[in-house]
Amino acid sequence: MALPTAAPERQLKHRRSIDVQVFARGNGLWEVDARITDVKTRDAILANQVRRAGDPIHDMLLRIVVDEQCNILDAGSLSNSMPYVGRCDDHGDAYRQLIGLNLLKSFRRELMSRLGGARGCTHLTELAQVLPTAVVQAFAGEVLDTDGQDPDAQQPFQIDRCHALRADGAVVQEFYPRWYRRPDPSSPGRATQPAAIPPPVET
């Protein structure tokens, strides 16, 4: 894989940062803090006021509380910096509408239905879209079985959820042979039932 060549004369104008931190409460509940910040390298005029270079244009925090089934039990947002003070954050408790959703069951579709467009804040709603994969990463190996070594274990959560971990791929064949599926030549990208004996892994 290769990146486009970076131009030697390029100049940084804008930086967007997304930071997600997941905390265990110790009682089967987890807190997720997701923050988005936008910073420019030059002064900008916003709502007839100067926002100095390096001062955040956006600094917004979204917090949810989830259980180990990925159900959202509590949610809220806080806008510390915004272009239009007193307007960008006058959506009240809009993000409490996330309560009751499940991060693994049509979450992004339900998110957009409830908070897309003018129903919410563009930046907070966009930020919320990273929550499912961030929580899955936090749960991996603690809440979600990711090794599948237990003889009674179900298929590890991550199999068939990305290109590298497709059931008929080399990674699953090598590291999760129990769950390997031979490629189905009649249906590209789909696998057949488990092989009776997993093919040997070339080294």
Side-chain angles (χ1 to χ4, degrees), residues 1 158-173 180 188-190:
M1 296 183 288
Q158 67 273 25
I159 293 179
D160 273 335
R161 290 181 181 266
C162 77
H163 171 76
L165 286 164
R166 64 191 188 279
D168 61 350
V171 172
V172 172
Q173 184 179 7
Y180 176 72
R190 304 192 66 168

Side-chain angles (χ1 to χ4, degrees), residues 87-147:
R87 295 292 181 263
C88 291
D89 59 345
D90 70 355
H91 49 70
D93 291 332
Y95 287 83
R96 289 188 61 76
Q97 293 181 66
L98 297 177
I99 297 172
L101 299 183
N102 184 287
L103 292 173
L104 305 182
K105 298 176 181 177
S106 304
F107 173 74
R108 292 184 179 93
R109 183 181 67 198
E110 290 296 325
L111 167 68
M112 297 309 296
S113 174
R114 298 181 185 201
L115 292 161
R119 291 181 291 276
C121 164
T122 297
H123 301 87
L124 286 169
T125 300
E126 179 180 342
L127 179 62
Q129 295 184 60
V130 309
L131 294 175
T133 52
V135 171
V136 165
Q137 285 293 315
F139 282 10
E142 292 200 44
V143 177
L144 298 172
D145 175 29
T146 55
D147 59 26

Side-chain angles (χ1 to χ4, degrees), residues 11-143:
Q11 296 179 347
L12 179 64
K13 295 291 187 179
H14 183 88
R15 182 189 301 275
R16 167 165 290 186
S17 301
I18 291 177
D19 179 60
V20 183
Q21 300 183 51
V22 184
F23 304 88
R25 282 187 169 185
N27 58 355
L29 300 181
W30 298 66
E31 292 180 11
V32 185
D33 280 6
R35 177 176 241 114
I36 185 170
T37 57
D38 281 313
V39 176
K40 295 189 180 300
T41 60
R42 57 178 173 78
D43 293 353
I45 303 297
L46 295 172
N48 296 324
Q49 293 184 339
V50 176
R51 192 71 55 95
R52 296 298 181 189
D55 290 341
I57 304 296
H58 298 104
D59 179 8
M60 298 175 170
L61 176 66
L62 181 63
R63 177 174 294 158
I64 63 171
V65 178
V66 298
D67 62 20
E68 294 187 344
Q69 290 72 48
C70 294
N71 298 304
I72 299 177
L73 307 179
D74 201 359
S77 66
L78 175 67
S79 295
N80 295 308
S81 296
M82 66 210 84
Y84 305 102
V85 178
R87 295 292 181 263
C88 291
D89 59 345
D90 70 355
H91 49 70
D93 291 332
Y95 287 83
R96 289 188 61 76
Q97 293 181 66
L98 297 177
I99 297 172
L101 299 183
N102 184 287
L103 292 173
L104 305 182
K105 298 176 181 177
S106 304
F107 173 74
R108 292 184 179 93
R109 183 181 67 198
E110 290 296 325
L111 167 68
M112 297 309 296
S113 174
R114 298 181 185 201
L115 292 161
R119 291 181 291 276
C121 164
T122 297
H123 301 87
L124 286 169
T125 300
E126 179 180 342
L127 179 62
Q129 295 184 60
V130 309
L131 294 175
T133 52
V135 171
V136 165
Q137 285 293 315
F139 282 10
E142 292 200 44
V143 177

